[in-house]
Amino acid sequence: MSDPATPAPGPVPRVARPVALAWCALNWIVPGLGYFAAGDRFRGAALFLLINGVLVAGYALGGHFLPPVWRVGAPNFSIVSCLTYILQLFHGGAWALSAFSMGIVERGSQAAAAGFFAGRPGMPYADLGAFHLLAAGAMNYLSTVRLYDEAAGDPSLVDDSAEASA
């Protein structure tokens, strides 16, 4: 039986900070890829399917990444839209693809893929789709922070007692 004060080792090995940051960058671009690179293939695959499943559902509902107005004095300024946009940024690869697709659509492209990733704000469930994109970004943020904590964070803050008893 292990000492309860010492956390049980998890599937992600402890590494130097630069390696952990590289894993986090991979995880930010493609959810789950950082865990896969760290050797936790099951968690990486599960996060990839879960987060990207929520993301694809959001796109299917017409969700879109809408850049907010950042000027505080503007009549259509909203702190909620600014914070939502920042959280959506945490799904790095999808956010970049959406921003690129929105630019293509604005230039007049009728490509179906570009329209899908740019979003369709006029659809009846577009707001629900945008919420799915927000949830996918939030899940990816949390999984990336967890990856960093497991790989290079303060080991006294990692509580794996629930995983060790399972």
Side-chain angles (χ1 to χ4, degrees):
M1 192 132 192
S2 66
D3 179 37
T6 306
V12 175
R14 303 285 299 168
V15 294
R17 186 169 283 163
V19 175
L21 290 173
W23 288 348
C24 289
L26 287 174
N27 202 66
W28 176 65
I29 295 168
V30 177
L33 188 58
Y35 283 95
F36 203 79
D40 191 353
R41 297 189 187 329
F42 176 76
R43 188 179 300 174
L47 286 171
F48 178 83
L49 293 173
L50 174 70
I51 295 172
N52 287 318
V54 171
L55 183 84
V56 168
Y59 281 134
L61 291 168
H64 57 287
F65 293 107
L66 186 62
V69 175
W70 294 103
R71 221 176 51 237
V72 176
N76 53 351
F77 171 79
S78 168
I79 191 68
V80 173
S81 66
C82 293
L83 294 174
T84 299
Y85 183 74
I86 290 169
L87 197 52
Q88 287 175 337
L89 290 175
F90 283 102
H91 200 301
W95 180 85
L97 180 62
S98 291
F100 179 72
S101 297
M102 285 170 48
I104 290 174
V105 169
E106 286 174 0
R107 287 192 294 273
S109 172
Q110 298 299 319
F116 180 77
F117 289 111
R120 296 171 304 283
M123 288 186 65
Y125 297 108
D127 288 341
L128 182 60
F131 180 77
H132 278 72
L133 300 181
L134 170 68
M139 287 189 292
N140 197 38
Y141 166 75
L142 294 172
S143 72
T144 302
V145 169
R146 165 91 187 204
L147 174 62
Y148 180 81
D149 283 345
E150 286 186 83
D154 183 359
S156 67
L157 298 177
V158 177
D159 179 23
D160 288 328
S161 58
E163 292 176 4
S165 64

